[in-house]
Amino acid sequence: IQCAQFEFPARVITVNLAPADLPKDGGRFDLPIAIGILAASGQVPREALDRYEFLGELGLTGELRIVDGVLPAALAAAQAGRKLILPPGNGPEAALAKEVEACTARTLLEVCAALNGAKTLPVAIAPAARRAPGADLQDVRGQAHARRALEVAAAGNHHLLLIGPPGSGKTLLASRLPGLLPEASEEEALETAAIASISGRGLDPTRWRERPYRAPHHTASAVALVGGGAQPRPGEISLAHHGVLFLDELPEWDRRALEVLREPLESGVVTISRAARQNEFPARFQLVAAMNPCP
């Protein structure tokens, strides 16, 4: 606040992050807290805050830094009919929610200047969607029977088990399945992108229309597959929502990890329950597994 040339109030300040039972982490609340302090001390007009939502981490110089979970926040702001102010690095992701007016600011000083009517913030623009080249069936030589099975699975949204000796091309074939699937609708792509946004793994706004392909190692735990943790996060099956989940070396997987896939495969959702809260994540994926012939 001082680096932005404002006065930090020299008195006790209480910040109320209600509701108290909702877990809060990360630096996404830095900008809202700073704006709240400046509004409470009369340095920015309170009535100007009624139209906006704020999101962003603050550096000590007042610079706004990127945060996770921007796309769900933008969708919620659109539903509430409010504008969103956020860091420039999050602008392309927020612009994927077409109904929201998302503006970007580089510093706290720019945000305050906009609230005081002295500056107009640039509107975030969604980048052009692109599809990465590579994963195509033209890389597979021969394997007519396996290619046919892959095409039938893609056409009918069937699950698939590939059995063959090491080096026969099971992994290569499985990685080509997303390229055979029809292009995701905008609603499906937004669901998948929102999950990627809150996962902490980052979201590439230029590739948000691509169907996901997840291939966890066989040492992955049941929690890694279905999601969980003290503050529940989506697992591999949710990150593969509307895409493909590939389990290589199927007999090497822990039985308990495989058993937890049964209900999500049937219902298309997974519910993570903890003592304090419950989260439901979508998990409608196409399962492809591979294994060597049993000796």
Side-chain angles (χ1 to χ4, degrees):
I1 288 178
Q2 291 174 339
C3 283
Q5 303 172 17
F6 289 99
E7 179 185 351
F8 190 85
R11 57 180 184 268
V12 176
I13 297 173
T14 300
V15 178
N16 181 16
L17 296 180
D21 61 336
L22 186 67
K24 305 167 186 72
D25 60 0
R28 72 192 67 213
F29 303 106
D30 288 358
L31 177 60
I33 291 173
I35 293 296
I37 291 174
L38 293 174
S41 58
Q43 299 180 74
V44 297
R46 294 192 187 187
E47 60 275 8
L49 308 186
D50 295 339
R51 306 187 305 272
Y52 293 99
E53 298 286 347
F54 302 91
L55 196 65
E57 178 181 338
L58 278 177
L60 293 178
T61 60
E63 177 190 8
L64 290 184
R65 297 173 178 170
I66 62 174
V67 294
D68 294 329
V70 168
L71 181 55
L75 293 171
Q79 292 177 355
R82 295 167 69 85
K83 298 180 180 180
L84 186 63
I85 295 181
L86 70 170
N90 290 127
E93 180 181 338
L96 297 180
K98 296 180 180 179
E99 295 81 7
V100 70
E101 183 179 340
C103 300
T104 61
R106 294 175 298 169
T107 63
L108 175 63
L109 185 59
E110 285 191 1
V111 177
C112 295
L115 294 176
N116 284 313
K119 181 179 177 63
T120 301
L121 296 177
V123 177
I125 300 175
R130 62 181 175 86
R131 187 158 187 165
D136 195 282
L137 265 184
Q138 67 180 357
D139 300 324
V140 181
R141 307 294 177 86
Q143 296 281 18
H145 185 64
R147 289 170 64 108
R148 175 63 177 163
L150 210 63
E151 291 163 0
V152 172
N157 196 31
H158 303 298
H159 306 301
L160 190 64
L161 175 62
L162 302 169
I163 304 176
S168 59
K170 302 185 295 298
T171 302
L172 179 68
L173 284 162
S175 64
R176 268 54 191 166
L177 179 57
L180 292 177
L181 298 175
E183 184 177 2
S185 67
E186 184 169 331
E187 183 180 357
E188 291 175 340
L190 278 176
E191 282 185 4
T192 304
I195 295 170
S197 179
I198 66 173
S199 68
R201 295 171 172 85
L203 169 66
D204 184 354
T206 64
R207 300 178 61 180
W208 71 286
R209 293 299 295 262
E210 293 184 14
R211 292 188 180 272
Y213 174 78
R214 305 293 301 183
H217 193 260
H218 66 260
T219 55
S221 66
V223 172
L225 279 180
V226 301
Q231 296 184 14
R233 291 288 186 96
E236 292 289 342
I237 61 174
S238 295
L239 294 172
H241 184 54
H242 293 312
V244 176
L245 176 67
F246 176 54
L247 303 184
D248 202 2
E249 302 292 349
L250 187 65
E252 301 295 331
W253 282 81
D254 181 68
R255 181 188 177 106
R256 181 172 175 269
L258 296 179
E259 288 290 346
V260 298
L261 298 180
R262 187 187 308 275
E263 292 178 24
L265 280 171
E266 295 175 354
S267 63
V269 296
V270 58
T271 303
I272 309 296
S273 296
R274 294 292 180 265
R277 61 185 307 197
Q278 187 180 75
N279 292 77
E280 185 176 278
F281 299 116
R284 195 166 296 282
F285 58 95
Q286 197 164 346
L287 177 63
V288 180
M291 59 179 286
N292 299 329
C294 177

